[in-house]
Amino acid sequence: GENVEQHPSTLSVQEGDSAVIKCTYSDSASNYFPWYKQELGKGPQLIIDIRSNVGEKKDQRIAVTLNKTAKHFSLHITETQPEDSAVYFCAASRWGNYQLIWGAGTKLIIKP
Amino acid sequence: EAGVTQSPTHLIKTRGQQVTLRCSPISGHTSVYWYQQALGLGLQFLLWYDEGEERNRGNFPPRFSGRQFPNYSSELNVNALELEDSALYLCASSLEGAGGYTFGSGTRLTVV
């Protein structure tokens, strides 16, 4: 079945450094790739997404890159801040009324 | 615009009891998804409802069930509660063709 693998499961970085989380998907028909951030005690929140017609998308300190040939996509966070500490989930699906397939999550820890 | 609302926020039940969780999607969203998230772990897909119909079901026993009402709100029912049902239950909604989900804050269920 369709599968999304996410690595690493835990990532600890120094405040101010960059963080990169990677996901690989199995369904070659997938063309929509969102990233979610879940803070403690809250539901996941969409932070950025990309469709397969572009290779990169940026929003201030966060960016997502997509390599369709290799079927992987990554979340990049630059100049990390304490408030970036959270669990991040990647997902993939076909655009339209299709169900998202989720990665297992990455716990990002920002060290002061 | 009101977000996805879930009720109750917390509840404690005894093993063997039954529980009903409720979810109101964002106005105009026709799809509702239910997820189970055990402490510190990933999102386990439970159910997907769209236009009042069950579209897909995750790998959970039949004692997990639900329904979607004509106003697109939804209920999740869990019968014969077991200790391992203790988790955060998240509801999300989406607009057909719009990709991303919007999550509620969840219901924290504790089974004792």
Side-chain angles (χ1 to χ4, degrees):
Chain A
E2 296 146 9
N3 184 50
V4 174
E5 292 187 359
Q6 182 172 348
H7 299 281
S9 57
T10 304
L11 178 60
S12 184
V13 301
Q14 206 70 38
E15 182 178 349
D17 288 350
S18 295
V20 181
I21 303 169
K22 299 181 179 180
C23 288
T24 303
Y25 59 98
S26 62
D27 182 5
S28 57
S30 294
N31 53 14
Y32 175 66
F33 309 93
W35 285 89
Y36 287 76
K37 174 183 181 182
Q38 186 178 24
E39 297 175 334
L40 203 60
K42 298 182 179 180
Q45 181 179 14
L46 178 67
I47 55 172
I48 194 168
D49 56 9
I50 191 170
R51 295 181 65 176
S52 61
N53 56 342
V54 296
E56 184 176 3
K57 183 176 179 181
K58 289 184 179 180
D59 183 3
Q60 299 182 352
R61 295 187 298 108
I62 62 173
V64 57
T65 58
L66 172 65
N67 182 327
K68 287 190 295 182
T69 303
K71 291 194 288 186
H72 68 70
F73 57 111
S74 299
L75 177 71
H76 305 255
I77 305 174
T78 59
E79 301 174 2
T80 53
Q81 300 171 3
E83 54 264 36
D84 295 329
S85 292
V87 177
Y88 291 80
F89 292 97
C90 65
S93 79
R94 305 179 193 185
W95 180 258
N97 199 18
Y98 292 94
Q99 183 180 333
L100 288 175
I101 307 301
W102 295 86
T106 296
K107 183 176 183 179
L108 177 61
I109 301 167
I110 307 300
K111 298 181 291 185
Chain B
E1 180 186 83
V4 175
T5 57
Q6 292 187 244
S7 62
T9 55
H10 298 83
L11 75 164
I12 300 174
K13 289 287 189 176
T14 303
R15 190 171 52 183
Q17 285 187 315
Q18 179 266 344
V19 69
T20 298
L21 310 182
R22 294 177 174 83
C23 173
S24 292
I26 287 176
S27 177
H29 284 192
T30 61
S31 278
V32 170
Y33 309 82
W34 287 95
Y35 288 85
Q36 182 196 65
Q37 187 176 36
L39 193 62
L41 298 179
L43 303 169
Q44 303 303 314
F45 168 69
L46 273 163
L47 291 159
W48 172 19
Y49 291 97
D50 181 64
E51 297 283 359
E53 300 290 327
E54 182 180 299
R55 285 291 197 100
N56 198 11
R57 178 182 183 85
N59 188 25
F60 279 84
R63 58 190 185 84
F64 288 82
S65 65
R67 56 180 172 167
Q68 186 178 35
F69 298 98
N71 66 354
Y72 304 117
S73 66
S74 178
E75 285 182 351
L76 174 69
N77 298 291
V78 188
N79 295 321
L81 284 166
E82 300 178 1
L83 296 178
E84 53 264 35
D85 296 334
S86 295
L88 180 67
Y89 289 83
L90 290 161
C91 170
S93 72
S94 72
L95 179 62
E96 182 176 345
Y101 298 175
T102 301
F103 281 87
S105 295
T107 294
R108 172 70 63 186
L109 172 63
T110 302
V111 183
V112 297

